[in-house]
Amino acid sequence: MLIATALISGLGLGSMYGLLALGFHITYSVSSTVNFAQGSSMMLGAVFAYTLAVRLGLPLPAAVVLALALCAVYGALVELLAVRPFALRGSNAWLIATVALGIIADNSVLFTFGKEPRGFQMPWANGSLQIAGVGMSPLQLAIPVFGLAAAALLHLVSRRTRLGKALLAVVQNRDAARLMGINVTLAVSAAYAVSTVFAGAAGILIAPLYTVHSDMGTLFGLKAFAVAILGGIASAWGVMLAGLLFGCVEALITALAGSTYTQIVTFVLVIVALAAMPDGLFGRAQVNKV
């Protein structure tokens, strides 16, 4: 029973890691850059939704949609201010620039939203479900379903739609894509917007299980990046499955050995896995033609 409960909790937590990691996958696949402020994007999703729904009294569906739209704007601003100026010059300074922008976002929320953690209750998430004799929150079931649906949708969009094919063209050859009339700058900006929407959705989904505060995304963002690398950052399904695996392992360690050892053991396992499989559990080694 203890292991079953831990696995159910781990699936919900792992799906949230997977959603954040999908954001890393999207930006890396399109632009070969990542947003190290992804944890801040998750926090902003939860803070925006809480502010709109609780403080301003908007209906929850409207608050969620507007919060995700604001997250998309934030993602586009990250690309415009912290990535594009350096990427155009071939500089890797976007690494620290995205970190700095995330710190600015965290501290701006700290000064405006406050430092006290706040509970964010969703009416439909209350109650308990019984599955195979194990009690669980409806939210613990909704998060994995949403995460897997997001990975499936991302796969379908990238393979079956004009937008997805345009993004794939940008990935394969930017110059050729530009000659074919594809707006490469807009494609990269859209990738950053979508990545922060995924992070914001993860923050909104996880908020009722935890609390909403200014630094809630810091550790989650770090773990999500580890998940993205572990799954093979170029594979959408890979990072989602790695997130589920990471969450389940983390929950099992917590249940069996205690929370004191959770971070130590999980990250040691990540290091061992990457030492054995440098391209990730579900990634493929890239072949460069000379």
Side-chain angles (χ1 to χ4, degrees):
M1 184 67 73
L2 178 64
I3 293 178
T5 303
L7 286 174
I8 290 174
S9 174
L11 286 174
L13 195 61
S15 299
M16 188 271 299
Y17 293 145
L19 280 174
L20 285 169
L22 279 176
F24 288 117
H25 158 74
I26 294 168
T27 56
Y28 179 81
S29 295
V30 176
S31 65
S32 297
T33 61
V34 294
N35 177 14
F36 284 105
Q38 192 76 338
S40 300
S41 304
M42 171 192 164
M43 175 272 298
L44 286 175
V47 169
F48 285 149
Y50 176 91
T51 302
L52 293 167
V54 177
R55 291 188 172 179
L56 299 183
L58 291 180
L60 184 59
V64 169
V65 171
L66 186 53
L68 294 180
L70 291 172
C71 285
V73 172
Y74 172 72
L77 287 174
V78 169
E79 191 276 331
L80 176 64
L81 300 176
V83 178
R84 189 185 305 176
F86 305 104
L88 287 175
R89 296 199 296 267
S91 169
N92 289 328
W94 53 265
L95 287 162
I96 192 63
T98 55
V99 173
L101 205 56
I103 294 173
I104 292 171
D106 290 348
N107 283 273
S108 298
V109 171
L110 175 64
F111 293 136
T112 56
F113 185 74
K115 62 181 180 180
E116 297 81 9
R118 292 173 170 83
F120 186 19
Q121 297 301 317
M122 297 182 185
W124 64 272
N126 297 329
S128 177
L129 299 174
Q130 291 289 328
I131 298 180
V134 179
M136 61 185 298
S137 163
L139 199 57
Q140 288 178 302
L141 179 63
I143 295 175
V145 170
F146 183 86
L148 291 172
L153 179 63
L154 185 61
H155 179 78
L156 288 175
V157 167
S158 64
R159 294 292 188 273
R160 302 294 178 87
T161 67
R162 290 176 61 88
L163 173 61
K165 292 177 180 178
L167 292 177
L168 288 176
V170 172
V171 174
Q172 292 175 1
N173 191 314
R174 284 195 175 196
D175 292 332
R178 190 177 286 108
L179 290 173
M180 294 298 294
I182 297 173
N183 189 329
V184 175
T185 301
L186 182 60
V188 174
S189 182
Y192 269 81
V194 172
S195 75
T196 51
V197 167
F198 277 21
I204 294 170
L205 287 170
I206 208 72
L209 300 178
Y210 292 86
T211 54
V212 181
H213 52 94
S214 60
D215 60 348
M216 64 180 288
T218 303
L219 185 57
F220 285 128
L222 177 62
K223 291 180 180 179
F225 185 68
V227 164
I229 300 300
L230 182 64
I233 195 169
S235 168
W237 282 113
V239 299
M240 195 68 218
L241 293 175
L244 293 173
L245 178 62
F246 188 97
C248 288
V249 169
E250 188 177 69
L252 285 173
I253 293 170
T254 301
L256 299 176
S259 59
T260 304
Y261 301 97
T262 302
Q263 312 304 338
I264 297 173
V265 177
T266 50
F267 278 100
V268 166
L269 291 176
V270 168
I271 293 171
V272 171
L274 290 176
M277 306 173 70
D279 297 300
L281 299 178
F282 306 100
R284 296 180 179 178
Q286 293 184 354
V287 177
N288 294 323
K289 294 182 180 180
V290 180

